[in-house]
Amino acid sequence: MKWKDGDRQGMVNTKNKYFTASELKDALKKFKADQDDVSAAGQQKLKNVKDQYRSYDELKDILQQMHVDVETDTEIMQKLLLAYTEEGSSGDMRLHVLTELEYHVHQIDNAQNLIELGGFQLVILALNDSNSDIRAEAARVLGAAVQSNPKVQIEALESGAVPTLIRFVASDSSTAVRKKALYALSTLVRHFPLAQLRFLQQGGLSCLAQLFGDPNATTLRIKAVTLLHDLMVEQINVENLSPDNPTNMEKKKQYEKVPLLQMMVEAGWCQLIPTLLDSPDHDTREKVLRAMITLFTPCHNDYKSTETQQHLSVLRGEYQALVVEEKPEDSGDDYFSLLLSLVDEISTKMS
């Protein structure tokens, strides 16, 4: 028995529970024949639908006829450099160029290509521009280009970037320039022992120490301590590398030439770092506590000062109270417990 419900149709075997294979074949033939009988309207409907769309071959021809001008990053940087050096280029235009370059040089290949294009020297020259906005942006480009990019780090070192950046951090009239210069200096010296040695030789530690006497350099002081702590940890990690690997041994030789810890102690950093314990910011306190722990062996006598002990005592009481508040929430965040453990670690070492 045949049945039909709108566009749906089928057959029901009224005599048995199922169709045999031959019965199914016959049914399919009948359905096909029925559809062929009504194909005139169906074919017209199909034609109307097809007329609304282009065929694959038509689309292929159209795409081949189209001329799409796609520029590579290198070509874009070339145009930017031309715009920067064009005679009569305004300060706004040069600032725009540097901003665009900063976006591109985050990619390692682009940063290296910038050297080949001569753009890296342009950035170095821009560091000394009379316009403070351009100086700041040039430092930002430099920091982005050298980050985790050994080839560009070497180029920056050979171009004299280290003493220039140190000078800006210490004495530039613009706070924005000083911040960007410290950022560039940080990315340049990280994981680059030769640049770290140059930083020490050029008075980098004295420069950063001067920030502690500047009432307007709170953020810079924190960033300076963070940088020095990271460099100390970097040296410790290299010291703990397995001696079985020749590459590890070469790294150790390079870092042995960088007397960071010794020069920090001589420059008075054992007294300077604890002064930041009174910061109201927990993140800053964490960085300071970690730096104090890393420096503990050569600095423990300086940590015995009454002022430092008072700061640690205040922090212990504050974090003990915050830990009690932290526990009932059961949020899985034991941040204040971590800070309390850092305070206790220093106190334990002192006892």
Side-chain angles (χ1 to χ4, degrees):
M1 182 182 69
K2 286 186 177 183
W3 62 267
K4 190 170 184 179
D5 181 10
D7 293 335
R8 299 171 66 240
Q9 56 181 321
M11 294 182 70
V12 177
N13 191 333
T14 58
K15 296 181 180 180
N16 298 303
K17 293 182 179 180
Y18 54 86
F19 290 103
T20 65
S22 60
E23 287 174 334
L24 287 172
K25 288 180 181 179
D26 291 340
L28 289 172
K29 289 179 181 179
K30 289 179 180 179
F31 278 127
K32 188 175 185 302
D34 291 341
Q35 289 196 358
D36 288 342
D37 292 341
V38 296
S39 62
Q43 289 294 330
Q44 182 59 45
K45 184 177 180 180
L46 181 61
K47 182 177 183 302
N48 292 338
V49 172
K50 285 184 175 181
D51 288 343
Q52 297 178 31
Y53 302 96
R54 300 181 188 274
S55 69
Y56 172 76
D57 289 336
E58 289 175 318
L59 289 173
K60 186 176 178 181
D61 291 339
I62 292 171
L63 290 172
Q64 287 178 343
Q65 293 171 13
M66 291 175 63
H67 176 66
V68 181
D69 186 15
V70 180
E71 291 182 310
T72 66
D73 284 355
T74 300
E75 291 170 337
I76 292 173
M77 290 193 297
Q78 281 180 318
K79 288 186 176 181
L80 289 171
L81 296 174
L82 286 173
Y84 190 96
T85 56
E86 186 177 9
E87 187 176 353
S89 177
S90 67
D92 288 342
M93 172 56 73
R94 287 181 289 141
L95 189 61
H96 169 74
V97 167
L98 291 171
T99 301
E100 290 296 313
L101 284 177
E102 192 272 340
Y103 169 79
H104 284 88
V105 298
H106 279 282
Q107 295 186 33
I108 291 176
D109 290 342
N110 287 345
Q112 294 178 358
N113 288 338
L114 187 66
I115 297 174
E116 305 301 324
L117 295 172
F120 194 81
Q121 287 304 315
L122 181 147
V123 173
I124 296 296
L125 290 173
L127 287 173
N128 293 299
D129 197 279
S130 59
N131 185 324
S132 62
D133 290 336
I134 290 178
R135 292 199 304 277
E137 197 64 18
R140 196 162 78 103
V141 175
L142 177 61
V146 300
Q147 192 166 27
S148 303
N149 200 330
K151 181 178 179 180
V152 187
Q153 284 179 311
I154 292 171
E155 183 71 17
L157 184 66
E158 293 178 348
S159 299
V162 170
T164 300
L165 293 173
I166 290 174
R167 174 167 52 86
F168 285 164
V169 173
S171 60
D172 197 275
S173 58
S174 166
T175 300
V177 173
R178 298 176 75 186
K179 288 180 178 180
K180 295 298 188 298
L182 183 53
Y183 156 69
L185 187 62
S186 299
T187 57
L188 174 54
V189 300
R190 277 186 167 89
H191 304 289
F192 190 9
L194 182 57
Q196 294 174 22
L197 180 60
R198 196 70 54 83
F199 166 77
L200 296 176
Q201 293 171 339
Q202 297 288 337
L205 286 177
S206 298
C207 160
L208 298 185
Q210 291 175 18
L211 299 175
F212 285 77
D214 186 345
N216 299 317
T218 302
T219 302
L220 289 172
R221 287 195 291 271
I222 296 168
K223 291 183 181 298
V225 171
T226 301
L227 170 61
L228 294 178
H229 170 262
D230 290 348
L231 295 182
M232 285 188 289
V233 171
E234 191 178 308
Q235 286 203 348
I236 292 171
N237 290 338
V238 171
E239 289 173 4
N240 293 330
L241 288 175
S242 170
D244 299 334
N245 189 319
T247 302
N248 292 347
M249 295 305 295
E250 179 59 32
K251 278 187 178 180
K252 287 186 177 184
K253 288 181 181 179
Q254 292 178 10
Y255 278 92
E256 285 171 358
K257 298 176 182 178
V258 184
L260 175 64
L261 190 59
Q262 175 188 339
M263 293 187 68
M264 284 184 65
V265 173
E266 293 173 355
W269 282 89
C270 292
Q271 298 87 28
L272 291 174
I273 291 177
T275 63
L276 295 179
L277 286 173
D278 61 355
S279 170
D281 180 64
H282 296 299
D283 183 60
T284 299
R285 294 174 181 176
E286 179 187 359
K287 292 172 180 175
V288 172
L289 289 168
R290 290 188 183 280
M292 288 177 64
I293 291 171
T294 305
L295 278 167
F296 185 84
T297 299
C299 296
H300 68 279
N301 286 329
D302 295 285
Y303 296 168
K304 292 179 181 179
S305 71
T306 302
E307 185 177 5
T308 299
Q309 290 299 309
Q310 287 177 343
H311 282 319
L312 290 172
S313 178
V314 170
L315 290 183
R316 182 181 300 104
E318 180 179 343
Y319 288 131
Q320 284 174 338
L322 288 172
V323 166
V324 173
E325 297 177 7
E326 187 177 56
K327 291 299 181 184
E329 296 178 1
D330 194 24
S331 61
D333 182 6
D334 297 329
Y335 183 58
F336 295 127
S337 298
L338 167 65
L339 295 181
L340 178 59
S341 70
L342 294 176
V343 174
D344 287 341
E345 182 175 350
I346 295 175
S347 300
T348 301
K349 287 177 177 289
M350 293 293 295
S351 60

